[in-house]
Amino acid sequence: MPDDEDREVLALLDDEYARRILIAASEEPMSVERLTECCDASPPTIYRRIDRLADQGFLDEYQELDPDGHHYKTYSTRLERVAIEIAEGSMEMDVYRRDEDPADRFTRLFEDL
Amino acid sequence: MTVGVGALGVGSLPVLEAAPTAFGLDEETTIFFAGLASAALGTVVAWTAYRGYARNDSRPMLFLAIGVAFLTAVPFVLAYAVDLVADVTDAIVLLVVTACHLVGLVAIVRSFRRPDSA
């Protein structure tokens, strides 16, 4: 039987907005503003989905600084693959997450100096 | 004249005594391969920094990428290119390499400036 965490993963993947966020943020880190545009959703909707996706470790979070000196966050997709195996009367789910891209880690380290 | 330029490789050093080095290669060949290894590693670091700039829109990373390239790969390539194009003295080759290093360090110093202070 799927446990609560498996259910949450399935619920997220069933959610149109959560899927759009994962797809959009898989190419490059994206701000909430950009996600709002490309997912065609309101900021509150995006924020709610981001919280749930981040709780599952499906998103990486970066702190950015815009030219005015304001901090804002960008997100990039970590979820790579979900495998569901059904055999012998049970269902097993494996979630594969990507490691952070070395270029992003390098940027983070250098900017935090 | 034999000048110590680290592992950057300077073309056609007059080899006074072709003493074989640890790998049984002459000095010039050893310098070339050491320089090639540095240039290759430098290219990996510079490319990673450049991708960091492209992915995160981080200007400091662009300057860091330029800086690392000018400290490693660029002088290596130029040192041999200058030598191929014209028969120049070692002093000229060394001048080119040193100029590259200066450009690279200026770029890295520039990368310390935060976007908010630009």
Side-chain angles (χ1 to χ4, degrees):
Chain A
M1 274 282 95
D3 60 19
D4 284 350
E5 194 170 314
D6 288 357
R7 268 194 215 97
E8 173 64 359
V9 171
L10 292 167
L12 272 172
L13 294 175
D14 187 44
D15 184 281
E16 179 74 27
Y17 293 115
R19 281 203 308 273
R20 284 186 197 173
I21 290 169
L22 289 171
I23 293 163
S26 65
E27 285 189 295
E28 55 177 349
M30 286 209 169
S31 64
V32 171
E33 196 183 349
R34 282 187 64 196
L35 287 168
T36 304
E37 282 168 31
C38 51
C39 302
D40 194 24
S42 67
T45 302
I46 296 292
Y47 277 114
R48 269 199 305 273
R49 298 304 186 287
I50 283 174
D51 280 345
R52 286 174 63 193
L53 290 165
D55 279 347
Q56 291 299 319
F58 288 0
L59 290 176
D60 265 325
E61 232 175 67
Y62 307 102
Q63 188 75 258
E64 303 279 347
L65 203 60
D66 71 13
D68 313 331
H70 294 297
H71 284 283
Y72 66 98
K73 283 184 173 153
T74 56
Y75 301 90
S76 76
T77 302
R78 273 190 71 197
L79 179 65
E80 193 169 29
R81 209 149 47 93
V82 177
I84 294 169
E85 190 177 357
I86 297 169
E88 293 164 19
S90 73
M91 181 177 127
E92 282 291 319
M93 191 153 93
D94 281 313
V95 177
Y96 298 89
R97 296 171 182 84
R98 225 177 261 109
D99 286 334
E100 186 181 13
D101 188 297
D104 295 338
R105 196 165 52 241
F106 191 13
T107 304
R108 213 161 34 79
L109 291 172
F110 190 69
E111 289 191 329
D112 289 348
L113 282 180
Chain B
M1 68 163 204
T2 309
V3 280
V5 286
L8 282 159
V10 170
S12 62
L13 279 175
V15 180
L16 302 175
E17 296 169 51
T21 59
F23 302 103
L25 301 164
D26 65 53
E27 280 128 333
E28 209 172 325
T29 313
T30 309
I31 289 172
F32 173 80
F33 281 114
L36 186 65
S38 300
L41 280 172
T43 302
V44 171
V45 176
W47 178 242
T48 306
Y50 178 80
R51 284 203 335 157
Y53 153 73
R55 289 170 58 94
N56 300 281
D57 202 21
S58 164
R59 279 181 73 75
M61 292 305 277
L62 176 61
F63 285 106
L64 185 64
I66 293 167
V68 173
F70 271 88
L71 286 173
T72 55
V74 176
F76 173 77
V77 171
L78 282 184
Y80 286 98
V82 164
D83 213 44
L84 279 176
V85 170
D87 189 21
V88 292
T89 60
D90 285 347
I92 298 287
V93 174
L94 194 55
L95 177 66
V96 168
V97 169
T98 308
C100 285
H101 286 175
L102 185 61
V103 170
L105 282 168
V106 167
I108 288 182
V109 169
R110 177 69 183 72
S111 78
F112 297 155
R113 277 175 59 180
R114 288 288 158 254
D116 53 325
S117 62

